[in-house]
Every structure is written in structure tokens, then in C-alpha cells.
Amino acid sequence: MTIAPSTSMSVQLRLEDDWFEVCDRAHLQPGRGIAALLPDGRQAALFIDRAGRAYAIDNRDPFTGAAVLSRGLLGAAAGRPFVASPLLKQRFDLETGRCLDDDSVTVQTHRVRLAQQPTAIT
């Protein structure tokens, strides 16, 4: 017997000309990041805030070269969301990728969306 389909939310990143599905929305928790392996071998750090806004930046800390930004601490400065690197504590704006502690350094940001994915229940 087939019951009406339900929907779940997926997290998707915009890569070149298409959206890439990263994970189910349920994997993101406010205040905690996750790392995702992209098709080209790079990593992205994904976050969601308490208001449900999703963010994605490169996971590589430009100061150390380590892929650790997904493990950073989330906060806000002057109303701007940021993640602080768990190693040297530099803060990166989640919307622009700009380092709040050194204007000459940035990390790449990625467009991210939460999309409904229909799933059939049988």
C-alpha cells in the first residue's frame, strides 16, 4: 500500500551551474558545523543558525591550512554571523568569508539553500 508522499529538507550548495545535494537538513544543528566533501575534492563547512538560515564556507583555515572551520565556534559581531577557527581563533564572516581579524584574508563562501525533497512512503 502506498501512502501520500512526505517531504524532507535537504541542504544543497551551488557549484558552477547546478545545485549539489550535501545532506539532509536534520544533520545540521544550530551552533554546530559539519564538513562536506565536494565533487572536486575540496571541503565545505556548513552551518545553520537558530533562525534557520544556512551558511557554507570553505572548511580550510587559511592561517594553518587545516580543514577545521566546521569545528569552529559560532558567534555574531555587530549583527554579523561568524565562525571562529578552533586553532588560532580567527573569526570568519559566514556571509562574506572575510576574516574579521585580518582584512587581507578571506575564505570562499558558497550559496546554500534548503530544498524540499519528496520521499514516497510505501
Side-chain angles (χ1 to χ4, degrees):
M1 171 163 88
T2 301
I3 302 173
S6 66
T7 59
S8 65
M9 298 292 282
S10 71
V11 180
Q12 299 177 348
L13 297 183
R14 183 73 176 182
L15 301 177
E16 297 179 15
D17 296 332
D18 203 7
W19 290 96
F20 173 71
E21 188 167 337
V22 177
C23 66
D24 189 83
R25 160 61 182 90
H27 288 91
L28 289 177
Q29 297 176 14
R32 304 188 105 173
I34 64 168
L37 183 62
L38 303 179
D40 66 3
R42 292 180 300 133
Q43 292 182 25
L46 287 86
F47 306 93
I48 196 158
D49 65 15
R50 297 195 191 294
R53 290 180 297 261
Y55 305 94
I57 62 173
D58 275 352
N59 195 33
R60 187 180 160 280
D61 180 337
F63 290 94
T64 65
V68 296
L69 292 181
S70 63
R71 295 180 177 265
L73 298 173
L74 295 180
R80 307 281 306 176
F82 70 79
V83 62
S85 172
L87 298 178
L88 300 177
K89 310 302 184 239
Q90 284 91 356
R91 300 168 300 154
F92 297 92
D93 186 307
L94 291 174
E95 294 176 343
T96 66
R98 184 177 63 85
C99 180
L100 302 177
D101 303 299
D102 184 340
D103 285 337
S104 68
V105 178
T106 61
V107 294
Q108 183 179 356
T109 60
H110 302 279
R111 287 180 53 201
V112 61
R113 73 178 181 184
L114 303 176
Q116 290 190 346
Q117 297 295 320
T119 53
I121 299 175
T122 56

